[in-house]
Amino acid sequence: MTLTELVAELAKYLEVDAPELSLSPAAFTSPELWEAERERIFGRSWLLVAHTDDLAVSGAPLTVSPGGLPVTVSRGEDGTLRAQSALGPHRAEPAVEEWRGFVFVNPDPDADPLAPHLRRTGEDLDAYRLPEMTRIVGWTEEWRCNWKIAVQNAHENYHAMGLHPTTVALITPPGGAMEVRTESPWVTRLLSPFREPLAATALPLSDEQRATMYNCAVFPCSSLAAFGDSVIWITMIPLAIDRVEVRGGVLMHPSALEGQDRDALREQNAESVVVVNREDRLGMEAVQRVVGSRFAERGHLSPKEPGVTAFYRALARALVTG
């Protein structure tokens, strides 16, 4: 398929009666679409790249390369976060924003602020006391798949039955329904029920919060999920058409760590992350191999996958109107 055909297909997701179908396989393999994404999406979008604990030491830089466009973030001696394009000093400085302990970068120096789009999310998550949370474990991995395959997987919990039968599926009901609310062109809220409400926590969570996983997805490729005393953040940064850098971390509030063996807690969380990420990576890499087959076709979306449709709409807005 040509770029024009792929963009026209994407435009249909913006219609009231949007197709309940997956993207065409070519959307995950087209070099033309990949180049358009680099320019229209990753050259002008907010990406969650770190937690403030990752940049606690002044002068310790962190570099990410969305779409092959390297950006380095560091904290100055005055505590201010700064971002620079690693392509050279002639490039304008990217925008950088810290929101409740999460560090976002946008290669576009003139980008509109992200915080106003996260206002309602901040209100919803007020009880989690996000600015006070501390990192328990972090990770950086590379998966051999198109970034959209990884992101759409994070926009639904239906896959837990197949990819996570002994991990995530143990705390989520089989094919549990997801409630989706689009907050802004950048932010989508995804609510998923637990099998059973979580036990009492160190945080002042309501009964509804203990019974629900709250996932805030920030287009194009970042999200944070709050449940119990923990928050997990994750971002899928595309390195190439079929390679993605997966960065993330597990956070907890200090009050939940009181009296705990912190080393044992870190080790336990690190082991869980390795298992779940491996399950996702193997699944996503298998999908990438399938979409490259000449026999691959579009598939029907389940009614339990409204988050995927929301992601497709955001993708269409960026590519069709960008």
Side-chain angles (χ1 to χ4, degrees), residues 225-288:
F227 53 99
D229 291 316
S230 302
V231 169
I232 294 179
W233 71 270
I234 191 167
T235 191
M236 288 80 167
I237 301 174
L239 303 176
I241 191 172
D242 60 353
R243 287 192 298 122
V244 60
E245 180 180 80
V246 181
R247 304 180 63 91
V250 179
L251 313 173
M252 293 188 72
H253 192 270
S255 61
L257 300 175
E258 295 176 1
Q260 298 271 9
D261 183 333
R262 297 198 181 194
D263 289 337
L265 190 62
R266 289 190 180 94
E267 183 177 351
Q268 177 184 353
N269 276 272
E271 290 176 353
S272 296
V273 165
V274 168
V275 172
V276 173
N277 281 1
R278 182 177 185 274
E279 291 169 343
D280 273 324
R281 178 179 61 80
L282 293 177
M284 300 308 95
E285 291 179 349
V287 172
Q288 183 67 39

Side-chain angles (χ1 to χ4, degrees), residues 198-230:
L198 299 179
T201 67
L203 297 173
L205 304 185
S206 67
D207 291 343
E208 182 180 1
Q209 287 172 320
R210 291 193 300 105
T212 310
M213 179 183 292
Y214 186 109
N215 188 351
C216 167
V218 180
F219 183 82
C221 58
S222 308
S223 66
L224 57 94
F227 53 99
D229 291 316
S230 302

Side-chain angles (χ1 to χ4, degrees), residues 17 47 49 137 139 167 206 212 215 250 252 272 286 300:
D17 189 20
L47 307 179
V49 299
V137 64
W139 67 85
T167 52
S206 67
T212 310
N215 188 351
V250 179
M252 293 188 72
S272 296
H300 288 277

Side-chain angles (χ1 to χ4, degrees), residues 74-82 96 98:
S74 61
R75 190 179 297 279
E77 293 184 1
D78 61 355
T80 302
L81 285 171
R82 295 181 175 85
V96 60
E98 184 173 344

Side-chain angles (χ1 to χ4, degrees), residues 24-178:
S24 290
F28 306 105
T29 60
S30 167
E32 288 183 299
L33 183 60
W34 163 242
E35 290 303 320
E37 291 169 350
R38 293 180 68 216
E39 175 188 352
R40 302 180 198 177
I41 297 178
F42 292 100
R44 59 183 73 168
S45 296
W46 286 103
L47 307 179
L48 173 55
V49 299
H51 182 257
T52 187
D53 284 357
D54 300 318
L55 294 163
V57 179
S58 63
L62 178 152
T63 299
V64 295
S65 298
L69 305 171
V71 175
T72 297
V73 187
S74 61
R75 190 179 297 279
E77 293 184 1
D78 61 355
T80 302
L81 285 171
R82 295 181 175 85
Q84 289 184 314
S85 170
L87 295 177
H90 60 286
R91 296 271 182 162
E93 288 191 354
V96 60
E97 191 169 327
E98 184 173 344
W99 179 84
R100 302 201 176 197
F102 297 95
V103 180
F104 292 84
V105 170
N106 193 322
D108 180 3
D110 300 318
D112 290 335
L114 177 63
H117 297 274
L118 290 167
R119 178 189 59 79
R120 191 165 181 178
T121 298
E123 294 173 353
D124 290 344
L125 297 180
D126 188 60
Y128 287 90
R129 296 156 66 180
L130 297 180
E132 302 170 18
M133 285 202 158
T134 185
R135 182 183 65 175
I136 298 300
V137 64
W139 67 85
T140 301
E141 301 181 356
E142 185 174 308
W143 297 0
R144 291 281 179 172
C145 67
N146 182 270
W147 71 277
K148 296 186 294 298
I149 289 177
V151 172
Q152 70 179 21
N153 182 66
H155 274 67
E156 50 89 6
N157 54 25
Y158 204 47
H159 74 279
M161 294 184 292
L163 296 186
H164 308 295
T166 62
T167 52
V168 180
L170 297 181
I171 62 172
T172 58
M178 175 181 282

